[in-house]
Amino acid sequence: MTRYADIPKPIRSGIVVVNPDTGTPQRIIILQFNPDTLERSLAPQSAGGQNAEGGGAGGGDRNEALRLKGPAEETWKFTAEIDATDQLEIAAPDGIHPQLATLEMLVQPTTAQLREAARQTKNGTIEITPIEMPLTLFTWGSKRVLPVRLTELSINESAFDVDLNPIRASLGIGLKVLSVSDLPAGHRGADLYMAHLAQKERLAAAARGGSLGALGLGGRDLTTLGRG
């Protein structure tokens, strides 16, 4: 007889909302199902500006061609699924409203914050400081813990209960990884980004290197290529 208890539970991806001052998790959002695919994009911060890659006239300062101003700008996109019918043992009188609201509050100020901003305006404060949101981390296993900002949240509700509470939805989520270029020095998120980048360096160092022979170049000195 199969012993289901021996089957290890899969690690879930998720989002952790953290107090940036204390590092204390304020809310942990575990994705019900791990996304099937991840779309990741990295754009280098070239020192030569937008035209540095173009070459030729107007191609930027040649001395800057191989220089970087900072870490690459990285974005993630994926689709998450929420389905109350897959968790029938859990009471859900509001359907998946709570799960959706939790994600939506990642891009919304609270009513208390809005009231405080209104109070400052009423008292004649000339410049209202934009509302700062908590630090948000996206986790995809132990090797990917990233400080992020939610840049896109599209919700496609596809099933409802008799009270019109949504019980199934597909979420399109877009994230921008926050690097040391986005956060002030000493910010907890900046430290977490540095740890994430150090993890990438360790993984890159563990990769097996290739050989010039595999490229059809043999043991030739690369500086002699193109000389006939």
Side-chain angles (χ1 to χ4, degrees):
M1 183 174 65
T2 302
R3 296 179 59 193
Y4 292 101
D6 293 340
I7 301 176
K9 291 184 178 180
I11 294 176
R12 297 295 183 190
S13 56
I15 296 172
V16 183
V17 180
V18 176
N19 183 314
D21 296 324
T22 65
T24 304
Q26 296 179 325
R27 183 178 290 274
I28 300 174
I29 304 168
I30 299 175
L31 299 184
Q32 185 178 355
F33 308 104
N34 287 332
D36 292 329
T37 62
L38 293 172
E39 180 183 342
R40 299 166 57 242
S41 175
L42 288 88
Q45 291 194 64
S46 301
Q50 288 185 332
N51 293 327
E53 297 87 357
D61 188 344
R62 295 176 183 176
N63 294 325
E64 303 293 330
L66 298 179
R67 297 184 184 275
L68 296 175
K69 294 187 295 184
E73 297 182 351
E74 184 174 357
T75 59
W76 290 49
K77 289 185 178 182
F78 58 89
T79 300
E81 305 287 340
I82 303 177
D83 191 344
T85 62
D86 190 66
Q87 299 176 316
L88 294 178
E89 71 282 3
I90 301 175
D94 298 317
I96 59 173
H97 270 308
Q99 294 94 319
L100 295 179
T102 299
L103 289 168
E104 291 176 52
M105 288 308 299
L106 295 177
V107 294
Q108 297 272 23
T110 65
T111 54
Q113 290 171 322
L114 291 174
R115 289 193 181 105
E116 175 60 20
R119 185 191 66 79
Q120 293 183 31
T121 301
K122 185 177 180 180
N123 290 342
T125 303
I126 297 176
E127 183 176 354
I128 305 299
T129 303
I131 295 171
E132 182 174 357
M133 300 298 287
L135 174 63
T136 304
L137 307 178
F138 178 66
T139 70
W140 186 272
S142 61
K143 295 181 178 62
R144 289 173 170 173
V145 180
L146 320 165
V148 298
R149 181 176 66 242
L150 193 67
T151 58
E152 177 184 337
L153 178 60
S154 60
I155 303 172
N156 181 9
E157 300 175 2
S158 57
F160 305 87
D161 63 16
V162 293
D163 295 319
L164 291 184
N165 295 310
I167 58 174
R168 185 183 304 123
S170 176
L171 312 174
I173 297 177
L175 304 170
K176 180 187 186 302
V177 177
L178 299 178
S179 73
V180 292
S181 297
D182 304 302
L183 299 166
H187 192 281
R188 192 173 299 273
D191 293 339
L192 287 166
Y193 176 80
M194 290 296 287
H196 165 64
L197 190 58
Q199 177 72 274
K200 282 184 180 288
E201 292 172 356
R202 288 191 291 270
L203 292 172
R208 295 181 58 184
S211 66
L212 291 177
L215 302 177
L217 301 177
R220 299 175 64 183
D221 183 350
L222 294 183
T223 61
T224 64
L225 294 178
R227 296 184 181 177

